[in-house]
Every structure is written in C-alpha cells, then in structure tokens.
Amino acid sequence: MGLSFELERKTEAIHVETSGNPDLDALDTIELTDSGKFAWLISVTAAIGGFLFGYDTGIISAVLVYLGTDLGKTLNAGEKELVTSITSGGALIGAIFAGLTADRYGRKIAIYLGCTLFIVGAILQAAAYSLAQMTVGRLIVGFGVGSAAMIVPLYIAEVAPAKYRGRMIGLDNMSITGGQLVSYGIGAGFAPVSHGWRGMVALGAVPAIILICLLPLCPESPRQLIYHNKPEEAARVIQRIFPHGTPEQVRQKVQHVSLHVQQAKDLYQGHGTFWIIKQLYIPGNIHALIAACGLMAISQLGGFNSLMYYDSTLFALIGFNNPVAVGTIIAATNFVFTWVNLMLVDRVGRRRILLATMWGMALFLALAAVTFHWIPINHDLTLKSNVVGWPAYVVLVCMIVYVAFYSTGMGNTAWLSSEFFPMEVRAYGAMMLTCTCWGSNVIVASTFLTQMENTTPSGAFGFYAAVCFFGWIAVYFCYPEVKGMTLEDIREVFNHGFGIKRAAELQKAAKQKRKMELDLS
C-alpha cells in the first residue's frame, strides 16, 4: 500500500482524537517496537545546542572574576548584573522569535540561526574593550541561546520514541550541565593567563560551529514534514527511527500523526498568530501552560541560576582563595546528577522525581541561609575576615547537596514540559515555556547581588528556599505524570483540569495493556 493517503476531515479527526479510541490506538503500534540508534544520534547532535546554553551560563561566572579593568574600569555590582542579565534578556527575545517562526520554517532553521548568532556574539565579546561592546556581544549571544534553548527540546521531543522521550530530551540537559562543567575547567585553565577571559568567551563559538557542520545530517522532525505536506519523507524518517517497524506500521504512524496535524491546521486555518497564541488559554491548554511554565519559573527562581552565574563571586565572598576551582565542584555535581535524572526519568516518572527532590532543595537552601549568619560579611559584600571558617564549608556542602537535588529533579524535568502541549500550539507553548525560563532568569541575574546587599545573604537564600518549598506543594496538586505517553495522547490528560487522577488512570490502563500483550506473546 502506498504512503499517500487522504486525510480525514476535521470532524472525523476530532472524533478519533478521544483517548482510548481503539482505531486511533491501532495506528500507533510502531511505538511498541524497538527503536534503533538513529533517534539517539539525532538527539545527541541537537543537544549540542544545550552545550551552548550551559557554556555561556558557566563561563560568565569566571569572566566576572577575571575581567579586572579590561573594559576600561572595574565593574561595580550593577554593571556585573547588567553583563550577566543582558544575555537572559536577549534569550527571551530569541525564544519569542523562534517560537513565532518554528512552524512556518521548521525546527532546524531556528537552530542554524541560533548557532550563527552565538558565533557572532562570542567574537564581539572576545574583542571587547568597553562595557558597551561587551554588553552588545552578550546580548547577541542571548539571541542565539534563546533560539536554541527553545527549539532543541521541541525538536528532540518530536523525533523521540515515546518510551525514550524523557531520556532523549534529558540529553539536552546533560549537554547544558556538561557545557557548564567544561566552562569551569576552561575558566580555571585560563585563570593564570593575562586577559585569559577573552579566550574563555571565544572558545564558546567552537560548539556552535560543530553543530552547524553536523545539523545537515539530521532530518526535519516527522511531524513538521507532515505539517508541510511531505508524508513520504516523514515515512522515511519514521522508518529510520523505528527500523523494526513494518511498512504497514510506518504508514499507520504517518496516518496517526497526520490526523492530529490536520486537526491542528483546521483549527487555526484563516487565523493569525495572536489568535493561535490565545488558544493556549482555552480549557485544557491553559492547565498545560500553567503546569509547564509554573515548574519552569520555580526552577529559575529557586536560586540555581544565581549559583551558576555568581558562584565564583559567592565563594570568593565567603573566603575561598580559588573560587573558580570551588565552583567546578558545583558544576561537576550538576553534571553527575543530571545523568542520574537521565537514567530515572522514564522509569520512575517526572512527577515522582519532582516530589522526591524538591523538598531537599528547600531544606538545604534554608540551612545555607541560617549558616550565613555566622559568616562576617559587610553590607557591600566584602568579608570582615579573610579566614575561611567552618560556616564557609557548611555553605559549600549545602550548595552541593542542593544542586544534587536540583539536577536529579526539576533541573531536567522542567524542560520536558514542552511535551504537554498539543500539536496545534506546541511551538507557541514551547515558546512560552522558554520565555518563562529567560524572563525568570533576567529577574534572578539582575537582582541577586543587589538582593544579597539589601536583604543579606541569609535573606536571599531564605527567599529561594521558600520558592522551592511552595513549588513542591504546587507540583503535588498541578503536575501530572505522563511518562510513556505519546505526544498525541498527552492532551487527553489536560482535558480533565490538571489531570492528576486522569493521568494515573491512563498510566494504569497502559500498564495493563502491556501486560496483556506480553501474556499473549
């Protein structure tokens, strides 16, 4: 049977959309077959985009320590916050642009653009001799990072088999933490070099160049190919993702995705961009948006990125003589426990991991807040004594354990939430998710040092602990478990509010179905 087929009309598509419909489930049996290496190779390649995000997040921590007077003067706290936060502001704009164009031009174009902008920004930073030029370079890097950070998880989600989707998106987060770890190593290596910070930022262009060279080997996502009326090409990609699927199963998968794509097209045919964005706020989608963006906001406002951007400054503040080397311990912890999440997320589930880790984040941030009481810090964030006492080591331990909980839990899981959005608003939902990330990032990066000065370190870390604690409660009531579900089936969960109970029912039904199939085989 040929791969071309007539798409069902809108009413028929909506009818078969209902979860549990046997005709629709029968079109997706290829998900039960073993997938090959192709999807993993695509995910690893695309995840280099995450490395860009991580490298920039980590390297600015070292750059702030070693800038000295190379920009014409010694930067004060406000200027450091500007240099740090302007990238987050640029990323917010880059994410919006990528979201508005992702469906029209496909996922790969935005990744190419992000890499190009990152290269230009890295060159401008490395050649900067003024605060203005450094700020412009950081802004352009932000445009690129925002575009890549928004598109890469979305692209991976659309090419990944359902049973491996959490781990494959997790590769992006592994790359983010890997980029942070590498940046700390490079920062420590360039520390004794005169004007070494220029080499630190210049090397950020290397992974962008590598991704540009490798991206032509990756296909467009099958869902985007079908969206652009290329079902035969989509079928070839699906066959490579599921090499053990039969031609009939491939045809059925194309039909399954096409039904949802056609429904999405029919939904917003004749409507403009802003009308489509408004669909994020209709019943069903609004709950997905709140759950996804809420968790992302907590992940940023809970203090982690303050640590990534300013940990070298923080550890210098509490008395460590080699703060970049101490910061490397934090980056290494982040990398190792992101790998732990990668191994657990599709087995244990997103919701269970969050509930098991977020309380620990709140606890150890609170312990750090209390410990800061015994560290003699002046209002202008200088030490009254240069002796590193036991409180400094307690703060370090608290930060290590906090990062371990963060990386095992919502550090990765927050980015998985792009899977919550149905096809017709997925790009815009991912855009809102990424905008939430960078908007929250701007707040944290532009206020951390000022908050430390005005509320004391104890007040700042106490605030972050409260965010994590109340976030933990919010997850219990608002974040459903969707492990193992196809992207097309997840929408059924949010047709029942936040869908906590409905998701549990679907998980139970799917488990029983798999058990019956094993018994029959």
Side-chain angles (χ1 to χ4, degrees):
M1 183 179 293
L3 292 171
S4 298
F5 50 86
E6 181 179 357
L7 296 176
E8 301 292 332
R9 292 301 305 152
K10 178 180 178 181
T11 55
E12 296 172 331
I14 294 173
H15 174 71
V16 299
E17 180 73 20
T18 305
S19 178
N21 187 300
D23 294 332
L24 188 60
D25 291 342
L27 295 177
D28 211 21
T29 59
I30 199 170
E31 289 281 355
L32 301 175
T33 66
D34 293 331
S35 59
K37 297 179 180 179
F38 185 61
W40 287 101
L41 292 174
I42 295 173
S43 300
V44 168
T45 301
I48 297 174
F51 190 95
L52 299 177
F53 177 8
Y55 186 88
D56 180 75
T57 302
I59 204 63
I60 190 61
S61 179
V63 169
L64 290 177
V65 174
Y66 298 115
L67 267 176
T69 59
D70 285 358
L71 298 183
K73 62 176 182 176
T74 301
L75 302 187
N76 59 36
E79 289 166 337
K80 288 181 179 180
E81 288 175 338
L82 172 64
V83 169
T84 304
S85 64
I86 194 68
T87 298
S88 300
L92 176 64
I93 297 171
I96 293 173
F97 179 80
L100 295 176
T101 59
D103 284 336
R104 180 175 298 180
Y105 301 109
R107 313 311 193 204
K108 290 175 62 178
I109 293 297
I111 300 177
Y112 277 121
L113 179 60
C115 291
T116 302
L117 290 170
F118 199 97
I119 292 169
V120 172
I123 293 172
L124 284 174
Q125 288 181 83
Y129 283 90
S130 67
L131 177 61
Q133 183 176 338
M134 185 68 173
T135 302
V136 171
R138 295 282 299 163
L139 178 65
I140 293 175
V141 164
F143 293 153
V145 170
S147 177
M150 181 262 163
I151 291 294
V152 168
L154 181 63
Y155 174 65
I156 295 175
E158 291 188 340
V159 301
K163 58 188 172 184
Y164 298 129
R165 190 174 59 248
R167 274 173 277 183
M168 288 186 176
I169 297 177
L171 288 172
D172 181 49
N173 289 280
M174 281 292 293
S175 292
I176 293 172
T177 57
Q180 291 167 342
L181 180 59
V182 169
S183 73
Y184 277 85
I186 289 175
F190 275 90
V193 178
S194 179
H195 311 293
W197 66 269
R198 298 186 186 277
M200 299 179 197
V201 295
L203 286 175
V206 174
I209 295 171
I210 293 173
L211 182 53
I212 286 178
C213 294
L214 292 179
L215 202 56
L217 303 177
C218 299
E220 186 55 88
S221 81
R223 289 170 177 83
Q224 275 296 295
L225 291 170
I226 292 171
Y227 182 86
H228 291 285
N229 302 314
K230 299 177 181 178
E232 288 82 6
E233 190 175 342
R236 289 194 290 270
V237 175
I238 290 171
Q239 183 68 78
R240 296 186 70 183
I241 293 173
F242 299 99
H244 301 290
T246 65
E248 178 63 15
Q249 286 177 314
V250 172
R251 189 198 69 81
Q252 289 175 342
K253 180 67 173 179
V254 174
Q255 186 178 2
H256 180 254
V257 175
S258 296
L259 291 170
H260 293 274
V261 169
Q262 186 61 34
Q263 181 184 358
K265 284 185 174 181
D266 287 342
L267 178 65
Y268 55 69
Q269 186 174 10
H271 296 287
T273 297
F274 290 103
W275 184 90
I276 300 170
I277 292 175
K278 286 169 61 179
Q279 302 314 296
L280 284 168
Y281 299 92
I282 64 174
N285 292 344
I286 183 64
H287 293 97
L289 185 68
I290 291 172
C293 293
L295 182 66
M296 181 59 77
I298 294 165
S299 75
Q300 304 303 306
L301 298 175
F304 176 77
N305 277 328
S306 298
L307 196 59
M308 285 296 99
Y309 290 137
Y310 297 110
D311 62 350
S312 294
T313 302
L314 177 66
F315 292 133
L317 167 66
I318 61 178
F320 288 103
N321 294 324
N322 193 343
V324 175
V326 176
T328 304
I329 300 173
I330 300 295
T333 302
N334 186 26
F335 180 77
V336 170
F337 283 91
T338 299
W339 180 84
V340 172
N341 178 280
L342 190 68
M343 294 297 101
L344 294 178
V345 67
D346 283 325
R347 295 184 175 95
V348 177
R350 288 80 158 138
R351 173 180 166 84
R352 189 178 298 176
I353 286 177
L354 289 171
L355 292 175
T357 56
M358 290 177 68
W359 66 268
M361 294 169 57
L363 174 62
F364 283 93
L365 282 172
L367 288 176
V370 172
T371 305
F372 270 111
H373 175 73
W374 283 277
I375 299 179
I377 299 175
N378 295 312
H379 177 72
D380 62 353
L381 301 184
T382 57
L383 271 179
K384 296 177 181 178
S385 170
N386 292 325
V387 178
V388 180
W390 65 266
Y393 292 105
V394 172
V395 169
L396 176 60
V397 171
C398 287
M399 292 300 97
I400 292 172
V401 179
Y402 159 75
V403 169
F405 276 113
Y406 174 89
S407 304
T408 304
M410 68 179 174
N412 177 40
T413 308
W415 288 101
L416 299 183
S417 302
S418 60
E419 65 190 359
F420 284 178
F421 303 107
M423 176 70 193
E424 61 267 22
V425 293
R426 186 170 299 140
Y428 296 100
M431 178 188 75
M432 295 296 289
L433 183 69
T434 312
C435 287
T436 301
C437 168
W438 293 113
S440 303
N441 228 309
V442 169
I443 294 171
V444 168
S446 62
T447 61
F448 177 67
L449 295 178
T450 302
Q451 186 180 13
M452 291 265 284
E453 288 180 349
N454 294 334
T455 68
T456 73
S458 292
F461 280 83
F463 170 79
Y464 296 143
V467 169
C468 293
F469 177 75
F470 288 110
W472 179 52
I473 295 174
V475 165
Y476 181 82
F477 291 104
C478 303
Y479 201 90
E481 182 56 73
V482 297
K483 70 168 183 173
M485 295 184 186
T486 65
L487 294 175
E488 286 70 33
D489 289 338
I490 289 174
R491 69 186 304 157
E492 168 65 14
V493 170
F494 290 101
N495 287 333
H496 299 263
F498 287 107
I500 305 297
K501 293 182 178 179
R502 182 58 176 162
E505 292 170 358
L506 293 175
Q507 294 284 344
K508 184 177 180 180
K511 185 176 181 180
Q512 291 174 343
K513 181 180 178 181
R514 288 192 295 268
K515 184 178 179 181
M516 290 176 61
E517 289 170 348
L518 288 174
D519 291 340
L520 292 174
S521 62

